[in-house]
Amino acid sequence: MSNSHTAPGGGRRRARYGRYTGGPDPLAPPVDVSGALDAIAEDVMAGYSPERALREYLRRGGAGREGYDDLARRVSEKRRELLQKHNLGGTLRDVKKLLDDAVLEERKQLARDVTMDDDDRALREMQMANLPVSTAAAVQELSDYDWQSTDAREKFDHIRDLLGREVLDQRFAGMKQALEGATDEDRAAIREMLADLNALLDKHRRGEDTQQDFAEFMARHGDHFPGNPGSVEELIDAMARRSAAAQRMLNSMSEEQRRELMELSAQAFGSPELMDQLGALDENLRSIRPDLDWSGAEDFSGDEGLGLGDGTGAVQDIAELDALAEQLSQSYGGAHSSDIDLEALTRQLGEEASVSAQILADIERTMRESGLLRKEADGSLRLSPRAMRRLGKALLDDAAQKLGARSGARDSRLAGASGEQTGASRPWEFGDTQPWDVTRTVTNALQRTAGEGPSAPGRVRIEVGDVEVVETEARTQSAVALLVDTSYSMATQGRWVPMKRTALALHHLVSTRFRGDELALITFGRLAVTMDIDELTALPPVHEQGTNLHHGLLLAEQFFARHPGMDPTLLIVTDGEPTAHLEAHGETWFDWPTHPETLRRTVTQLDRVTRRGTRTTFFRLGDDPGLERFLNQLADRAGGRVTAPDLDDLGAAVVGEYLRFRDSGYGEVDWG
């Protein structure tokens, strides 16, 4: 793409446009990490560390997007396909065919040449009939033969030409095609290049080479290096990798194949000097880069024969695929998405695979740099407060939709609308009925338009994003204790993550819409613990039996005692009857099935909590008839009730119950 501009001198100059190569595309849309954040948070709530959760997301990918495991599987499939499709006998096969054709043409010529001496004919026919079985030995025996057939001579000469191009193609990719039909001058230029290259490498090994030496070499022989290396180190790296692959290809052949090829290669171009130069080149490269794999081998087992050059290329492809497999595994210390060679991935799997890997790398970078993941002092990652807010909002929105579906309208109680103004404002959201905060709204509009130039006097242009509404708070305040069961069965029955999602949704609602309320998150397994939302979110599944509701109720009573002026609300999520209680000396007593003493202490503690006028709801998970009877009895005793939501509806059920109790504190609620 191009465009024309007027140059300073009045003429026209043309500007050319191409792919932006100065780093990340500044015009590219921002990466959407909402799906990644949801998936990572889900794994964190299931017990993974944030670092591991991020790694797992990158491995499996998102909805409709390949992950590293998918790309690694494709890499493995291509490697297997290369080995199962090809063998390394292509050059030997081609040489043997040329030799057979040459011998056949010579025999035809001998049979129809009536002017030839009979003894000479018989001798030549005998030589043709008794050639060695070894192709290399037969070629060597015929190297000085005086061919009578012009076609036979051309085919035999082509053997040497083919061998020369193949052995060069082993070290210099593309030489086989570039030297097809080469003249003696072309071959002389190759020998000269090899001599100069070895001289340069010799100086480099001794540490005596200069950039000028490299520049002079490239000026003379740069046409043979289409990769256009910028330094002798780049030149050596490319050539050494190719040479090591050539050696691994030879290692992959049978002993007989290697012997045949070594003998044949000595006759390449009919020039022993060429092979001497190539041998010196291999020695130089191997001594400079001993770190490369010079001793490996591969098991080619297919039907499609590869020549020396193509076989070396296939081994290089396998090495590149192996490197990609390691990069995609991300299993080594300090692994990062930026380690993945996108150019190599494009070569091996195509542009689409490279795009998938780039998107995953962008997601990892954005997650680390956007503040959604926070690095702790010990180097570990945690979900940041910003990530927790985003996650809590998403979970609350989901609960609101389910509550709205039940009532047929948006649940306006989620906005914290009914009550006194808090003095704060917040951005307007669809469905809000609160009055505008005019001062903040106009200020936002003025700040947004300040850089756009003067507007008409007395006019302010307001957009939806400028609008802020007055935040209100209910007249009554609640102290809410959410008790969540963290016993072993919660993890084994798939209830662990829904329980955490519920806690997050309720926490977000209280902390953003009902800031005057107090919320305690209390877990009860073998012991009960009051946790903040970060601790609860990161809590791994507990593989310890025990449902100590007694201890949880003790902590709830202490929480309510600290907030005597608030309406107490008790919400209990559980999937089992109590099987543990706290002894007077602070130790846990456990027994299964429920022991009468555990039952007595639990009921007594519930009576103490509900004596405050606490509004109580039990959320029963599962269909255990014994648990159903037990919770119904507790609810009757506490003047509360029991609900049995599906796991998908647990968050909406708990949020809805909290709102129902708040409604009862100040009368009718506007449902919109």
Side-chain angles (χ1 to χ4, degrees), residues 33-42 367 372 383 386-387 390-391:
V33 297
S34 57
L37 178 60
D38 290 345
I40 291 168
E42 193 85 2
M367 290 293 296
L372 296 174
L383 291 176
R386 178 184 172 195
R390 284 187 59 168
L391 180 60

Side-chain angles (χ1 to χ4, degrees), residues 113-396:
D113 190 351
V114 296
T115 64
M116 181 178 293
D117 180 78
D118 289 343
D119 290 340
D120 185 26
R121 187 199 322 274
L123 184 61
R124 290 175 181 274
E125 288 177 343
M126 184 181 299
Q127 186 174 3
M128 292 294 114
N130 293 284
L131 288 172
V133 174
S134 165
T135 302
V139 171
Q140 176 63 36
E141 181 174 315
L142 294 172
S143 59
D144 296 326
Y145 179 77
D146 180 20
W147 296 91
Q148 301 301 297
S149 166
T150 302
D151 289 342
R153 183 185 304 110
E154 289 178 353
K155 291 182 184 298
F156 189 79
D157 289 343
H158 190 54
I159 291 175
R160 292 178 170 179
D161 179 71
L162 174 65
L163 289 169
R165 290 187 290 122
E166 286 280 15
V167 296
L168 286 171
D169 206 37
Q170 276 186 291
R171 282 79 171 182
F172 306 90
M175 275 288 192
K176 181 178 178 181
Q177 291 76 24
L179 288 178
E180 190 168 6
T183 63
D184 290 339
E185 290 76 12
D186 294 329
R187 299 186 187 98
I190 292 295
R191 287 193 293 271
E192 182 181 0
M193 181 271 291
L194 288 172
D196 290 348
L197 178 58
N198 279 319
L200 176 64
L201 296 183
D202 281 335
K203 291 183 70 174
H204 184 79
R205 288 172 61 185
R206 299 192 300 271
E208 300 173 359
D209 63 311
T210 65
Q211 183 62 26
Q212 181 63 28
D213 292 329
F214 173 73
E216 291 176 356
F217 174 82
M218 291 300 293
R220 296 183 65 187
H221 307 295
D223 290 346
H224 297 299
F225 302 92
N228 194 28
S231 66
V232 68
E233 286 79 12
E234 289 184 19
L235 173 66
I236 289 171
D237 185 67
M239 294 203 60
R241 291 181 185 280
R242 181 80 178 180
S243 182
Q247 182 59 55
R248 294 198 303 277
M249 184 205 68
L250 292 176
N251 298 343
S252 304
M253 294 180 174
S254 67
E255 183 64 34
E256 180 182 356
Q257 285 178 317
R258 277 197 301 274
R259 184 179 64 254
E260 287 275 292
L261 281 172
M262 291 302 98
E263 293 177 4
L264 284 169
S265 297
Q267 303 177 56
F269 288 143
S271 172
E273 295 84 1
L274 175 68
M275 295 308 299
D276 291 341
Q277 291 284 3
L278 289 174
L281 175 62
D282 290 338
E283 182 180 348
N284 275 321
L285 293 172
R286 189 162 189 162
S287 64
I288 294 172
R289 292 297 307 275
D291 56 300
L292 296 179
D293 181 8
W294 298 85
S295 59
E298 302 294 342
D299 184 18
F300 287 89
S301 59
D303 298 326
E304 186 175 314
L306 295 175
L308 297 180
D310 290 340
T312 298
V315 173
Q316 274 193 295
D317 282 342
I318 289 173
E320 190 166 71
L321 290 167
D322 288 343
L324 284 171
E326 182 178 12
Q327 294 162 15
L328 292 167
S329 75
Q330 297 281 285
S331 58
Y332 49 91
H336 196 277
S337 295
S338 60
D339 299 340
I340 297 170
D341 187 338
L342 297 180
E343 292 184 0
L345 195 61
T346 300
R347 283 193 296 271
Q348 298 299 335
L349 299 184
E351 187 72 27
E352 184 180 342
S354 179
V355 169
S356 295
Q358 182 64 65
I359 290 175
L360 292 171
D362 290 344
I363 288 174
E364 178 178 12
R365 187 190 72 253
T366 302
M367 290 293 296
R368 292 182 184 278
E369 297 177 359
S370 65
L372 296 174
L373 295 177
R374 181 179 64 194
K375 181 170 285 190
E376 300 295 297
D378 60 0
S380 64
L381 292 179
R382 289 189 66 180
L383 291 176
S384 69
R386 178 184 172 195
M388 296 292 290
R389 286 193 298 272
R390 284 187 59 168
L391 180 60
K393 182 180 184 304
L395 294 172
L396 181 58

Side-chain angles (χ1 to χ4, degrees), residues 82 86 529:
L82 278 172
H86 300 293
V529 180

Side-chain angles (χ1 to χ4, degrees), residues 20-64:
Y20 178 76
T21 58
D25 185 353
L27 300 180
V31 178
D32 181 10
V33 297
S34 57
L37 178 60
D38 290 345
I40 291 168
E42 193 85 2
D43 282 347
V44 169
M45 288 188 288
Y48 287 8
S49 69
E51 180 73 45
R52 182 183 174 191
L54 174 59
R55 291 289 168 208
E56 288 296 317
Y57 175 80
L58 296 174
R59 284 184 53 214
R60 65 177 180 259

